[in-house]
Amino acid sequence: MRLANLAGRSTIVTNDGLIDVATSSQGAFSASVDKCIGQLDKLQKWFETAQPQVGDALTPEELFGDPRLGPVVTSPQQIFAIGINYRHHAEEMGRALPEEPMVFTKFISALCGPNDELPVPSATTDFEVELVVIIGASARNVLEENALNAVAGYCVGQDFSERTLQMKGTPAQFSLAKSFRHFMPIGPWLTTADEITNPNKLSIRCGVNGVEYQNSNTDDMVFGVARLVSYLSNIVELRPGDVIFTGSPHGVGVAQTPPLFLKPGDRIVSEIQGLGKIENLAV
Ligand code: ZN
């Protein structure tokens, strides 16, 4: 099932069209995506058994790029991001492979819709396409083999990064440099975990103005999704709606020769196999 936040209302995206969750369920389920993620199993069962009528006949493809799409979760309690989590990205950055996940946060005010504009704050603003995990159930001390049970689903995200601020000072600090306005678009919708057999076997790519710079596969991750969920849950309690940015593959702007940074007018398209694509215009 694909659950979108369309014009602020929880909306199921089918191949035949859209279902407004609150209206079709006569209020049994909320118009808030956050609340729907908290009871995703029930919602999915209702969707499969009640066979609600499709309203607007827009297909998923026609919905890509739609400015009405908001973030698939609007008020996560916690947002985690993982640094240096792809082998080829570690290589291009001249970094050794981490022995444990390198975790930082992106502050919530940077969260935005999948197709929102990106106000460029500097001459060294960079792109990082990432697989984003949305947690569906409270989880503490979960074993790696059970960890994916805590996952509601997945979406595409951009970990936009201001490299000068990020690398200023010793040690480098990440969280602020990755939290400027609209530095965290996610979407286009949540694809539930049951539709993704293996989150660590998905092609992932990002292009700027039609030129592809990132083209990899989530199988290049140092720590896979299950390992990350298990690792985090052994320190903090994960809660429904929590967001995990799982790291960027290689091909980021700062690693290009010469370095390539974003400027107003650039169009950034980020795509993951089975999850769809998001598009941001730099302004
Ligand atoms: Zn990142």
Side-chain angles (χ1 to χ4, degrees):
M1 185 177 75
R2 307 181 196 96
L3 179 67
N5 173 6
L6 188 67
R9 297 183 63 84
S10 51
T11 305
I12 295 174
V13 179
T14 77
N15 290 333
D16 305 319
L18 310 179
I19 297 165
D20 183 279
V21 169
T23 307
S24 301
S25 70
Q26 296 176 315
F29 294 97
S30 173
S32 142
V33 277
D34 298 57
K35 287 191 177 140
C36 286
I37 287 169
Q39 47 178 187
L40 207 56
D41 289 350
K42 273 189 190 160
L43 177 64
Q44 197 156 2
K45 201 158 283 172
W46 167 78
F47 169 59
E48 283 160 6
T49 55
Q51 299 191 307
Q53 275 219 309
V54 167
D56 201 331
L58 279 178
T59 65
E61 287 70 27
E62 287 169 329
L63 210 52
F64 289 148
D66 196 311
R68 294 175 299 163
L69 288 168
V72 297
V73 55
T74 67
S75 304
Q77 291 189 43
Q78 306 179 98
I79 300 169
F80 306 93
I82 314 298
I84 313 291
N85 197 34
Y86 279 74
R87 293 179 182 87
H88 288 93
H89 178 52
E91 202 171 288
E92 73 178 350
M93 301 301 279
R95 300 278 295 266
L97 290 186
E99 287 169 17
E100 291 207 340
M102 197 279 256
V103 183
F104 57 97
T105 190
K106 285 173 80 75
F107 293 105
I108 191 169
S109 58
L111 186 64
C112 67
N115 305 310
D116 285 359
E117 290 182 344
L118 170 73
V120 177
S122 74
T124 51
T125 299
D126 205 348
F127 50 88
E128 300 189 349
V129 60
E130 303 201 5
L131 172 68
V132 172
V133 174
I134 310 288
I135 296 296
S138 292
R140 212 185 247 289
N141 300 324
V142 294
L143 297 172
E144 191 172 333
E145 55 259 45
N146 302 327
L148 294 186
N149 294 337
V151 174
Y154 305 94
C155 61
V156 183
Q158 257 296 341
D159 178 19
F160 287 124
S161 303
E162 205 297 289
R163 298 299 187 198
T164 303
L165 180 60
Q166 181 184 350
M167 299 309 179
K168 206 190 261 179
T170 312
Q173 67 84 12
F174 283 48
S175 298
L176 279 177
K178 290 162 173 275
S179 297
F180 284 87
R181 181 160 182 257
H182 286 191
F183 265 36
M184 187 166 32
I186 59 171
W189 39 71
L190 175 114
T191 299
T192 52
D194 60 295
E195 301 212 359
I196 303 297
T197 318
N198 182 356
N200 283 106
K201 213 164 184 40
L202 303 173
S203 66
I204 177 168
R205 50 184 75 205
C206 175
V208 180
N209 301 330
V211 180
E212 191 172 86
Y213 291 99
Q214 296 191 274
N215 183 350
S216 182
N217 192 291
T218 56
D219 67 5
D220 191 41
M221 280 188 197
V222 181
F223 305 104
V225 171
R227 178 78 190 280
L228 291 174
V229 170
S230 172
Y231 176 82
L232 290 169
S233 82
N234 276 279
I235 301 163
V236 297
E237 180 182 274
L238 297 175
R239 295 174 172 173
D242 279 358
V243 171
I244 306 172
F245 274 73
T246 56
S248 173
H250 68 286
V252 298
V254 72
Q256 305 290 330
T257 320
L260 173 90
F261 295 114
L262 298 172
K263 55 185 188 316
D266 286 347
R267 198 167 284 281
I268 307 104
V269 177
S270 314
E271 187 170 6
I272 298 178
Q273 181 183 359
L275 304 182
K277 61 180 166 186
I278 67 174
E279 190 172 323
N280 306 102
L281 175 67
V283 295

